[in-house]
């Protein structure tokens, strides 16, 4: 939910950290700050607002140094203002902290410290952490490292932190519990960041911190220690992220770039996973567990937001091709409802970021109760991808826009590949059918290219409907989750209230909403529920509702009934969600732009919800 960047080395640190924070603004952007030290003098600059405002502020100062750490915030404790912005400084100035996460027991610690005459200025839990470190440091005559370890043993909750102690200027400290943190290993310089995107332009060598790790970082050395138990050895990985992948490359917004990247992203999802002559699939990450999946009594999919919608599509796909019962749950509900999990169950987590706190907590609960836990993630090295027993990466490339687009389509493609492979291994798909499905898969990217041609039509419709106050999205079967996904896209970036609903459910309530002011988007490609959705459209028309229909190219029935039509190519049912969602992504994008909304960083949202 927040972005952290740190630098210690021989180069001027200020611009390195500021530019790094810009790459993390998709994680949070309501206030920002930076601490800079030249070893003797340390200055802190903070502002309520975006990183660019912080940059304008620091550019007017002459001061720079070779150590810096910065933060871009999504407020959890305390309103987004300068006082609550990070870095937070302990009351006597010894400790400076930037933090991503939530200290659950901060108020009890704060009361104890106040009773010991410790003064506070902000409303943040992070200031409590900084003051706790300083209190232990001064009272116990400890080293900074000892004080940090002791403080972190007293807090409950989650943190990804960078810490600077003014009395030990040659070091930065980094620690994580529940919030991601990556160390970049350079030549005579080291980096800290919430993910690899600020680091890759400087080094491809990274270390993903694990829970309970404390990193003591000098410019030429990095030592990993454990906060609660034995010392650990760092595992340096080569990250294969290229700078170009995290720039807009000429698009006005990351979201539009990522919508148009979907043909390439889908191709990358199956690239290297189809055997020669399209004779089979090879999902290496699941290779050792396919038989376990095939013999599962039940699959429970846990996810949030768009990933949850992909999971709903997965339910239809897996039950159709594998005949295994599937339940799809919001991870936030699953983790708190004391679920019944039996030995033969498989829990499948779907998460683009691989850091969503609720989904991470759900898989930890599932593992505690003996389930086999699998993952579908997009970020290599993410917590969920490292804590599941096995899994598959979607290989969609970095998704920076807060509104998920290519994550959804590549998640559905991944679920389809899993279902095809399990269905084949269970003998439910013969060789011919199995190979044909693989062939259909390989033709999907060019079908998505065709669907993207609806861009101009989506813009035209956006001009008509940009001032709507409500919208209803309807679909049936595996297009019902697409209706929900289309509604989520619209509401989260244009702030128009929108609901996705199973079309048949409309007569049980939502039909009361229909009037001539209500745009009704109907996802109505040629599937087996087509005739039924024709009736639903008639019900809407009878009440003067305005129909925007997503139909299969050449449709002769609904296209004549609807007020507006967006066409997508024909495909087998399993891939209809991948095609039908594209016009809805484009429609929500253009409406948001016409409304002057911040498409890539919508208000109140963040890309990775790493707090509950
Ligand atoms: C979708 O557009 C949102 N950004 C949000 O609902 C997102 O899908 C959800 O927070 C889950 O994120 P994850 O896939 O990274 O776990």
């Amino acid at each position: 939910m927040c972005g952290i960047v740190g630098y210690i080395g021989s180069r001027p640190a200020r611009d390195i950290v500021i530019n790094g924070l810009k790459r993390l603004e998709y994680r949070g952007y309501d206030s920002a700050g930076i601490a800079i030290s030249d070893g003797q003098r340390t200055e802190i600059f903070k502002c309520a607002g975006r990183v660019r405002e912080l940059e304008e502020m620091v550019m007017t100062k002459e001061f720079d140094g070779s150590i810096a750490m910065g933060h871009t915030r999504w407020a959890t404790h305390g309103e987004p203002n300068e006082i609550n912005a990070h870095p937070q400084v302990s009351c006597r100035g010894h400790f400076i902290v930037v933090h991503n996460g939530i200290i659950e027991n901060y108020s009890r610690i704060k009361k104890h410290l106040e009773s010991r005459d410790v003064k506070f200025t902000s409303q943040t839990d992070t200031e409590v952490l900084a003051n706790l470190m300083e209190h232990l440091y001064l009272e116990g005559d400890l080293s900074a490292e000892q004080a940090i370890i002791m403080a972190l043993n007293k807090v409950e909750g989650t943190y990804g932190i960078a810490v600077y102690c003014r009395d030990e200027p040659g070091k930065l400290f980094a620690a994580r519990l529940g919030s991601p943190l990556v160390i970049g290993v350079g030549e005579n310089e080291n980096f800290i960041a919430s993910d690899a995107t600020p680091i890759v332009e400087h080094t491809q060598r990274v270390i993903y911190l694990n829970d309970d790790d404390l990193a003591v970082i000098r410019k030429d050395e990095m030592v990993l220690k454990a906060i609660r138990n034995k010392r650990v050895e760092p595992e340096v990985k080569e990250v294969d992220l290229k700078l170009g992948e995290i720039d807009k490359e000429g698009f006005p917004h990351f979201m539009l770039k990522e919508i148009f990247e979907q043909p390439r992203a889908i191709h990358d999802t199956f690239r290297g996973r189809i055997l020669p002559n399209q004779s089979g699939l090879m999902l290496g990450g699941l290779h050792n567990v396919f038989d376990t999946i095939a013999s599962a009594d039940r699959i429970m999919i846990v996810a949030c937001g768009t990933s949850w919608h992909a999971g709903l599509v997965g339910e239809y796909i897996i039950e159709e091709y594998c005949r295994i019962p599937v339940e799809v749950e919001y991870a936030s509900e699953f983790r708190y409802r004391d679920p019944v999990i039996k030995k033969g169950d498989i829990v499948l987590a779907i998460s683009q970021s691989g850091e969503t706190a609720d989904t991470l907590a759900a898989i930890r609960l599932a593992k505690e109760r003996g389930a086999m836990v699998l993952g579908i993630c997009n970020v290599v090295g993410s917590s969920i991808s490292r804590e599941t027993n096995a899994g598959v990466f979607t290989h969609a490339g970095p998704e920076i826009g807060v509104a998920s687009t290519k994550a959804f389509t590549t998640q559905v493609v991944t679920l389809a590949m899993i279902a095809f492979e399990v269905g084949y291994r269970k003998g439910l798909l013969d060789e011919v059918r199995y190979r044909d499905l693989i062939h259909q898969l390989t033709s999907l990217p060019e079908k998505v290219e065709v669907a993207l041609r609806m861009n101009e039509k989506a813009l035209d419709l956006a001009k008509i409907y940009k001032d709507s106050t409500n919208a209803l999205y309807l679909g049936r079967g595996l297009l019902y989750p697409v209706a929900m996904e289309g509604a989520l896209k619209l509401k989260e970036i244009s702030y128009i209230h929108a609901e996705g609903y199973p079309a048949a459910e409309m007569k049980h309530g939502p039909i009361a909403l229909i009037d001539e002011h209500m745009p009704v988007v109907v996802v109505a490609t040629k599937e087996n529920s087509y005739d039924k959705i024709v009736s639903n459209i008639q019900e809407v028309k009878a009440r003067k509702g305005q129909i925007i229909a997503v139909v299969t190219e050449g449709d002769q029935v609904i296209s004549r009934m609807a007020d507006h039509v967006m066409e997508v190519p024909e495909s087998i049912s399993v891939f209809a969600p991948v095609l039908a969602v594209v016009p809805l992504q484009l429609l929500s994008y253009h409406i948001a732009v016409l409304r002057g909304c911040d498409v890539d960083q919508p208000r109140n949202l963040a890309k990775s919800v790493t707090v509950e």
Side-chain angles (χ1 to χ4, degrees), residues 111-397:
K111 284 195 183 71
H112 170 72
L113 292 173
E114 284 173 328
S115 71
R116 309 294 293 272
D117 203 26
V118 174
K119 302 296 180 217
F120 288 84
T121 54
S122 82
Q123 304 159 299
T124 66
D125 54 344
T126 309
E127 186 186 14
V128 174
L129 188 54
N131 275 327
L132 179 60
M133 289 173 186
E134 182 174 82
H135 178 68
L136 296 166
Y137 174 73
L138 297 173
E139 290 269 295
D141 191 20
L142 303 176
S143 69
E145 177 183 326
Q146 290 167 329
I148 291 167
I149 287 176
M150 189 177 278
L152 294 179
N153 272 288
K154 292 178 181 299
V155 303
E156 294 156 19
T158 58
Y159 53 79
I161 55 172
V163 183
Y164 179 68
C165 178
R166 287 184 209 254
D167 313 313
E168 298 186 20
K171 292 178 218 172
L172 280 178
F173 299 90
R176 82 154 267 176
L177 182 66
S179 291
L181 217 48
V182 184
I183 308 294
V185 181
E187 296 300 323
N188 207 28
E189 59 185 17
N190 286 312
F191 305 80
I192 303 169
S194 300
D195 67 32
T197 47
I199 293 172
V200 290
E201 62 187 285
H202 304 291
T203 176
Q204 302 284 312
R205 302 176 67 235
V206 297
I207 295 167
Y208 294 98
L209 291 191
N210 289 307
D211 282 353
D212 214 26
D213 281 354
L214 169 73
V216 183
I217 307 166
R218 292 176 175 80
K219 68 179 183 177
D220 53 3
E221 182 195 45
M222 201 283 295
V223 177
L224 266 193
K225 304 201 169 180
I227 293 160
R228 289 176 180 76
N229 42 49
K230 66 189 179 316
R231 183 186 165 96
V232 289
E233 281 310 311
E235 187 190 348
V236 181
K237 294 180 189 282
E238 289 289 327
V239 65
D240 64 354
L241 202 52
K242 299 292 175 288
L243 199 51
E245 291 179 317
I246 51 180
D247 282 328
K248 291 181 193 153
E249 293 178 350
F251 284 89
H253 299 97
F254 278 109
M255 183 181 177
L256 192 62
K257 174 190 170 200
E258 288 150 11
I259 290 171
F260 276 86
E261 272 180 343
Q262 289 179 113
R264 192 268 313 143
I266 290 165
H267 181 268
D268 287 350
T269 301
F270 62 70
R271 184 160 51 94
R273 293 168 162 168
I274 294 178
L275 299 179
N277 308 319
Q278 300 181 359
S279 59
L281 293 168
M282 203 277 288
L283 296 171
L286 294 178
H287 182 67
N288 298 327
V289 296
F290 266 119
D291 292 336
T292 307
I293 302 171
S295 58
D297 302 325
R298 176 176 61 161
I299 294 175
M300 303 168 90
I301 296 177
V302 293
C304 301
T306 287
S307 297
W308 182 77
H309 295 151
L312 288 176
V313 176
E315 176 179 0
Y316 286 93
I317 295 174
I318 294 168
E319 292 203 351
E320 177 180 351
Y321 287 96
C322 309
R323 307 311 295 161
I324 299 170
V326 178
E327 290 171 23
V328 185
E329 292 218 36
Y330 282 119
S332 53
E333 288 300 309
F334 181 88
R335 67 179 290 195
Y336 286 119
R337 68 172 184 79
D338 190 14
V340 174
I341 298 174
K342 297 196 174 77
K343 191 105 185 64
D345 287 344
I346 283 180
V347 173
L348 172 60
I350 303 177
S351 175
Q352 187 287 129
S353 63
E355 299 298 348
T356 299
D358 287 323
T359 310
L360 187 55
I363 64 167
R364 287 172 174 168
L365 172 65
K367 281 175 86 171
E368 279 167 23
R369 302 204 175 174
M372 157 79 72
V373 181
L374 308 179
I376 296 176
C377 293
N378 189 40
V379 177
V380 175
S382 58
S383 302
I384 292 171
S385 67
R386 289 184 292 135
E387 295 197 21
T388 47
N389 300 112
V392 183
F393 287 112
T394 48
H395 294 165

